[in-house]
Amino acid sequence: MFKIICFGVRPHEVEIFHQFNTYDFELTLVESLLTADNITLVDGHHAVLLRANCHATMTNLKYMKAQGIEYVFTRTVGTSHIDLEAAASLGIKVANVPSYSPNAIAELSLTLALNLLRNIPFTTNRTQQFDFRVDSKMFSKEVRNCTVGIIGTGKIGYTEAQLFKGLGAKVIGYDLYPNDLCTDTLDYVSLDELLSQSDIVSIHVPHIPGENDGMIDRAFLTKMKNDAILINTARGELQNNHDIVTALEHNVIAGFATDVLPHEQDVFFKQFDAWGPLPDTDIQSLINMYPRVLITPHIGSNTDEAVANMVETSFKNFNEILTTGTSSNLLKTPN
């Protein structure tokens, strides 16, 4: 029987893994992410399935290869957690999940935006402290009187645009490669126009190393309205946390919400002492700005539909490679 060890399987995902194991693989489900400390768990397996923030480093891949493992797949779109050059040099095949429910990310972006727009965290924090007075910070625009700017109009951006459009908002978009499907939902404008006009700016672009690292920087933020809200549920590498902190401190923008962070593996999926500082001072500063700043720990894909999509596609990838020698989702690794 083909044995697959799956890392980063949360307790609520276990049933989904078994439900979509229609190929009768022998599964080892591990809640922790792959690290140098638990790499020996791969012993005795034929393949490995990862999730984001697992450490598929050269060292770990070499260990896997020495154990006879030829397939290291990921149930994510992104592959930055895998050393693809090392995999290629070792002859290890890598496949990913190119897409899953776009609603999962789009709905989180919408939820974060509406929470900041209506000042829900601020208000519920007050009532939790038995203070039921209404003050000016609880006053807000209605979303139908807002302009929402979507940067990146692929499947996720388009889905979010539809959601906001359904609520009556004016939706505008920016993309280097406009999506024809979006023309019934949003109007394309230049990036500068989008930033200057939008009450809510939502990011849905991929991270391209060396091209758009830290694109959300001082220059980007100063082009936004000073009462605007910024949402990033794409990739943490797109944002310059220090510049965002400075913009919030000087009221260049009104609020910020993110589901991602640069170097997020140093913080996400860990618990820290409430009285101790975080390892990153800019992240600590963002946390201290609650409720103007909302941070969720990369939960965009943590929905019933998205997890099912990721697991089902991953198992199909394994079945394809075993029965045909290849997979439609096999990545072209660097030579």
Side-chain angles (χ1 to χ4, degrees):
M1 186 175 291
F2 193 72
K3 299 179 180 179
I4 306 172
I5 182 167
C6 309
F7 287 92
V9 180
R10 295 166 180 148
H12 59 270
E13 297 176 327
V14 170
E15 183 178 348
I16 296 174
F17 270 78
H18 291 305
Q19 177 185 350
F20 288 96
N21 184 21
T22 56
Y23 307 104
D24 293 324
F25 297 131
E26 184 174 327
L27 303 178
T28 300
L29 306 181
V30 180
E31 185 173 358
S32 60
L33 299 171
L34 172 67
T35 67
D37 295 327
N38 64 8
I39 183 63
T40 57
L41 292 176
V42 306
D43 294 2
H45 294 87
H46 301 108
V48 175
L49 181 61
L50 308 174
R51 73 175 306 149
N53 292 310
C54 284
H55 296 178
T57 60
M58 166 67 88
T59 301
N60 283 347
L61 290 169
K62 280 185 176 179
Y63 185 90
M64 294 182 208
K65 183 67 174 182
Q67 304 306 308
I69 293 172
E70 297 182 1
Y71 311 114
V72 178
F73 291 3
T74 181
R75 59 178 172 121
T76 58
V77 177
T79 58
S80 59
H81 52 296
I82 303 173
D83 188 332
L84 295 178
E85 290 188 2
S89 67
L90 294 167
I92 292 176
K93 292 182 172 61
V94 179
N96 73 334
V97 175
S99 64
Y100 50 81
S101 171
N103 293 70
I105 313 297
E107 288 175 9
L108 177 61
S109 299
L110 174 75
T111 302
L112 291 170
L114 292 181
N115 266 272
L116 287 177
L117 181 68
R118 292 304 304 263
N119 303 299
I120 298 301
F122 171 82
T123 305
T124 55
N125 192 49
R126 288 275 293 271
T127 57
Q128 193 272 335
Q129 297 174 27
F130 305 103
D131 185 346
F132 296 92
R133 294 172 297 173
V134 176
D135 66 21
S136 60
K137 289 185 179 180
M138 299 174 190
F139 184 75
S140 72
K141 285 185 175 183
E142 292 185 13
V143 69
R144 62 178 175 169
N145 295 325
C146 291
T147 296
V148 178
I150 308 292
I151 301 177
T153 56
K155 291 181 180 179
I156 297 172
Y158 176 47
T159 300
E160 187 184 12
Q162 290 179 306
L163 293 175
F164 272 112
K165 185 80 168 183
L167 291 173
K170 175 183 178 181
V171 186
I172 56 178
Y174 171 76
D175 200 306
L176 289 173
Y177 306 98
N179 182 351
D180 290 341
L181 293 175
C182 293
T183 55
D184 64 343
T185 305
L186 58 80
D187 296 318
Y188 280 105
V189 297
S190 70
L191 180 58
D192 284 357
E193 288 176 304
L194 182 146
L195 295 176
S196 66
Q197 295 175 21
S198 298
D199 301 291
I200 298 168
V201 175
S202 188
I203 312 294
H204 293 295
V205 301
H207 171 230
I208 305 174
E211 293 189 22
N212 60 2
D213 305 89
M215 62 172 277
I216 305 170
D217 59 6
R218 181 179 179 277
F220 180 104
L221 295 161
T222 54
K223 294 174 182 177
M224 292 177 61
K225 298 168 65 174
N226 59 17
D227 60 350
I229 292 165
L230 174 64
I231 312 293
N232 182 17
T233 56
R235 288 290 180 266
E237 293 82 2
L238 300 173
Q239 66 193 47
N240 182 319
N241 280 351
H242 185 73
D243 286 358
I244 294 171
V245 168
T246 302
L248 288 161
E249 288 175 340
H250 292 84
N251 296 314
V252 174
I253 61 173
F256 174 59
T258 185
D259 188 47
V260 292
L261 293 170
H263 311 294
E264 63 185 40
Q265 67 275 9
D266 297 334
V267 176
F268 283 174
F269 318 127
K270 299 178 182 180
Q271 183 174 5
F272 297 88
D273 293 329
W275 56 87
L278 293 174
D280 186 305
T281 56
D282 288 324
I283 297 174
Q284 182 69 60
S285 295
L286 290 172
I287 291 288
N288 293 342
M289 290 180 181
Y290 177 88
R292 284 182 71 194
V293 173
L294 306 180
I295 300 177
T296 51
H298 211 139
I299 62 167
S301 61
N302 194 31
T303 69
D304 54 352
E305 186 74 16
V307 173
N309 294 161
M310 290 186 286
V311 173
E312 183 176 23
T313 300
S314 295
F315 288 159
K316 285 182 178 178
N317 288 344
F318 281 119
N319 184 62
E320 284 183 358
I321 203 82
L322 292 173
T323 57
T324 69
T326 188
S327 168
S328 56
N329 296 323
L330 203 64
L331 297 180
K332 293 182 179 179
T333 51
N335 294 324

